[in-house]
């Protein structure tokens, strides 16, 4: 006769941990799209000498800087826009953006008073992608629009394209790092070191820094199915905390978004995340502009 132990059923395995928090960790109103659009359409820079606030976008190659500009444009226009050219080849590790270019944002027939400056993508290697000095000089307004970046040599005060005497309108009052969700887990530390150098240098002049985290839908199955899970997803919160720890930007200055890629129509949930990020960025930049005379 067999042992009675063999008939004892195994205890059930514990259920997998819940990937979702009981309640959102960041308060977010998903119905505020039209309100945000109106606020941004009525925004005015706080300084009489500045008619539009410059915001510089920096980040690694393929992070989605140009896609972010197009997504902002799309959210205001109510249709998919592709003014900022995006490299979709996927096989080229080189930065698609080679020149410093400014993009104004339109809503209907109105041009809004902020301009996004797109710069060549960062790479870990010392002499590839945009140089840290170029990004710092671009923030301070020393790099003229249209300047073609040289991967091997940053712009210096001896160059013709160097703006020796930038006015307030030439300067950027916020630096936005566009970083894809998974980059901080797999990226080369040399890239993080470049970001830290930039952060330290421009912090000395009181320039605020913000992170826009892209590709959040690719980072979390919950969010891929439903964007409204963005602030209840444990995975998304962990990625944002890792970003804050590695780059040194506070959580309150990190905004998760989904860019438009293959869509042919806009979506309210995509738009509201983008517009909220823009509202925060514009106000952070404007606060720094207000303080500009004290620096």
């Amino acid at each position: 006769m067999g042992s009675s132990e063999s008939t004892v059923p195994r205890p059930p395995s514990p259920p997998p941990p819940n990937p979702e928090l009981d309640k959102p960790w960041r308060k977010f109103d998903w119905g505020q799209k039209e309100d945000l659009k109106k606020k941004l359409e009525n925004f005015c820079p706080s300084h009489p000498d500045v008619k539009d606030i410059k915001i510089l976008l920096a980040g690694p190659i393929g992070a989605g800087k140009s896609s972010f500009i197009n997504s902002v444009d799309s959210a205001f226009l109510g249709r998919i826009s592709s003014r900022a050219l995006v490299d979709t080849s996927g096989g080229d590790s080189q930065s698609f953006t080679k020149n410093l270019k400014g993009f104004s944002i339109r809503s209907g027939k109105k041009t809004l008073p902020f301009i996004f400056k797109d710069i060549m993508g960062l790479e870990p290697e010392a002499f590839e992608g945009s140089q840290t000095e170029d990004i710092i000089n671009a923030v301070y307004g020393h790099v003229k629009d249209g300047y073609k970046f040289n991967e091997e040599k940053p712009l210096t005060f001896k160059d013709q394209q160097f703006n020796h005497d930038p006015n307030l309108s030439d300067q950027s009052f916020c630096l936005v790092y566009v970083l894809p969700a998974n980059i901080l887990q797999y990226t080369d530390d040399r890239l993080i070191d470049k970001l830290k150098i930039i952060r330290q240098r421009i912090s000395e002049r009181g320039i605020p820094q913000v992170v826009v985290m892209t590709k959040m839908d690719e980072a979390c199955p919950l969010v891929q199915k439903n964007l409204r899970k963005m602030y209840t997803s444990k995975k998304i919160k962990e990625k944002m905390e890792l970003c804050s720890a590695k780059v040194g930007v506070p959580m309150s200055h990190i905004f998760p978004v989904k860019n438009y890629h293959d869509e042919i129509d806009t979506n309210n949930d995509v738009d509201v995340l983008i517009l909220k990020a823009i509202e925060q960025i514009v106000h952070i930049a404007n606060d720094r502009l207000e303080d500009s005379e004290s620096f």
Side-chain angles (χ1 to χ4, degrees):
M1 200 170 168
S3 164
S4 61
E5 284 182 23
S6 61
T7 61
V8 175
R10 289 185 179 177
S13 55
N18 189 348
E20 198 172 355
L21 297 160
D22 292 336
K23 56 182 183 179
W25 62 269
R26 178 180 278 177
K27 192 178 171 187
F28 193 82
D29 175 6
W30 291 92
Q32 62 182 319
K33 175 182 162 180
E34 292 307 318
D35 187 42
L36 286 168
K37 272 181 81 173
K38 273 194 198 111
K39 281 183 186 170
L40 286 161
E41 284 164 359
N42 295 324
F43 170 79
C44 283
S46 60
H47 198 289
D49 296 339
V50 176
K51 69 175 176 52
D52 44 49
I53 290 180
K54 307 287 191 302
I55 295 156
L56 186 72
L57 303 180
I61 287 168
K65 296 189 304 301
S66 300
S67 292
F68 179 64
I69 291 169
N70 287 335
S71 297
V72 175
D73 220 13
S74 302
F76 280 104
L77 293 174
R79 61 176 171 79
I80 299 298
S81 166
S82 53
R83 278 195 307 144
L85 294 179
V86 177
D87 183 15
T88 56
S89 65
D92 188 1
S93 63
Q94 300 258 310
S95 178
F96 193 61
T97 303
K98 301 287 186 188
N99 302 68
L100 183 68
K101 187 169 182 188
F103 290 91
S104 56
I105 302 296
R106 296 163 300 173
S107 188
K109 292 184 177 176
K110 186 175 184 181
T111 300
L112 304 183
F114 40 88
I115 291 177
F116 290 100
K117 307 294 281 278
D118 194 8
I119 200 167
M120 190 180 194
L122 273 164
E123 290 194 63
E125 289 75 14
F127 298 112
E128 290 188 22
S130 59
Q131 300 286 333
T132 53
E133 284 300 319
D134 282 337
I135 292 174
I136 292 159
N137 279 327
V139 169
Y140 296 155
H142 293 305
V143 183
K144 293 179 183 176
D145 265 14
Y147 171 70
K148 186 169 182 181
F149 297 102
N150 183 338
E151 294 187 10
E152 294 175 13
K153 188 169 77 74
L155 183 74
T156 71
F157 68 94
K158 294 177 184 173
D159 291 303
Q160 209 174 359
Q161 291 281 359
F162 191 90
N163 181 3
H164 286 270
D165 191 22
N167 57 36
L168 276 178
S169 289
D170 298 322
Q171 298 171 46
S172 294
F173 287 95
C174 184
L175 174 61
V176 177
Y177 302 111
V178 180
L179 302 174
N182 284 325
I183 190 167
L184 295 158
Q185 282 168 301
Y186 309 115
T187 196
D188 192 315
D189 279 346
R190 289 175 299 173
L191 184 63
I192 302 295
D193 289 343
K194 278 188 174 184
L195 292 175
K196 282 181 178 169
I197 290 166
I198 296 162
R199 175 161 173 68
Q200 192 174 7
R201 289 278 300 281
I202 69 170
S203 291
E204 290 166 7
R205 294 264 288 265
I207 303 294
Q209 289 130 77
V210 162
V211 172
V212 166
M213 289 193 82
T214 59
K215 306 186 183 181
M216 300 309 259
D217 53 317
E218 294 174 27
C220 174
L222 271 179
V223 172
Q224 195 161 37
K225 283 184 195 157
N226 183 356
L227 266 185
R228 295 195 178 201
K229 303 280 189 186
M230 189 70 83
Y231 291 120
T232 55
S233 162
K234 289 178 181 175
K235 192 174 272 189
I236 296 296
K237 186 167 188 264
E238 282 164 14
K239 289 188 181 299
M240 290 172 66
E241 285 169 342
L242 178 65
C243 175
S244 179
K246 282 207 170 191
V247 182
V249 171
M251 285 285 274
S252 60
H253 281 42
I254 301 177
F255 304 101
V257 301
K258 177 203 176 324
N259 285 336
Y260 287 112
H261 287 292
D262 51 6
E263 295 84 356
I264 56 172
D265 291 305
T266 56
N267 170 286
N268 282 343
D269 290 346
V270 173
D271 288 349
V272 76
L273 284 167
I274 295 270
L275 290 168
K276 188 64 185 174
I278 296 307
E279 182 207 35
Q280 297 296 301
I281 289 165
V282 166
H283 284 297
I284 286 166
N286 196 47
D287 288 345
R288 176 61 184 85
L289 174 62
E290 273 191 51
D291 295 336
S292 59
E293 287 177 18
S294 60
F295 282 84

